[in-house]
Amino acid sequence: QVQLVESGGGLVQAGGSLRLSCAASGSISSIDRRGWYRQFPGKQRDLVASISGGGTTTYADSVKGRFTISRDNANNTVYLQMNSLKPEDTAVYYCNGIVRGSWYWGQGTQVTVSS
């Protein structure tokens, strides 16, 4: 079993910044890929950013140039630096990791961007 524990999230004004963190623990040898997803009310959970074990990153078009994903393999932690936040970024954000072919998810954290 793998556990993902998130921190960060909260309320921020438009144009501000926020940094999300997610640490993994449990039965882990390596995490092949890690990512951040977000879910708007009434919508599906969509990819925000991902990072491979080799460091290759992928971003949704809506966040390119504003968000940055990174990982600290020594601490099994993935980060999402969010800059120039917009009200439309308001959502529940989830981190994930793939371990031995299985997908694991964090509990989710609310990000609210006020106008």
Side-chain angles (χ1 to χ4, degrees):
Q1 186 66 25
V2 175
Q3 297 82 42
L4 303 179
V5 180
E6 298 180 339
S7 61
L11 177 64
V12 65
Q13 291 185 334
S17 298
L18 203 61
R19 191 192 197 200
L20 306 181
S21 302
C22 181
S25 63
S27 182
I28 300 173
S29 58
S30 64
I31 305 178
D32 295 324
R33 191 189 70 85
R34 305 203 68 176
W36 289 94
Y37 291 70
R38 66 186 178 185
Q39 188 168 19
F40 306 112
K43 306 290 286 186
Q44 68 181 22
R45 188 176 299 181
D46 292 325
L47 176 70
V48 176
S50 66
I51 183 167
S52 72
T56 301
T57 57
T58 301
Y59 295 94
D61 288 341
S62 59
V63 306
K64 286 181 179 177
R66 299 189 298 121
F67 291 10
T68 302
I69 188 171
S70 62
R71 63 190 295 174
D72 181 349
N73 291 331
N75 294 320
N76 291 318
T77 301
V78 64
Y79 305 92
L80 185 67
Q81 179 67 46
M82 303 183 292
N83 298 325
S84 301
L85 283 162
K86 305 174 181 179
E88 51 262 43
D89 294 319
T90 296
V92 178
Y93 285 71
Y94 299 86
C95 73
N96 86 316
I98 301 174
V99 181
R100 296 182 295 277
S102 297
W103 289 61
Y104 296 88
W105 296 93
Q107 76 280 8
T109 184
Q110 177 71 46
V111 172
T112 302
V113 184
S114 63
S115 301

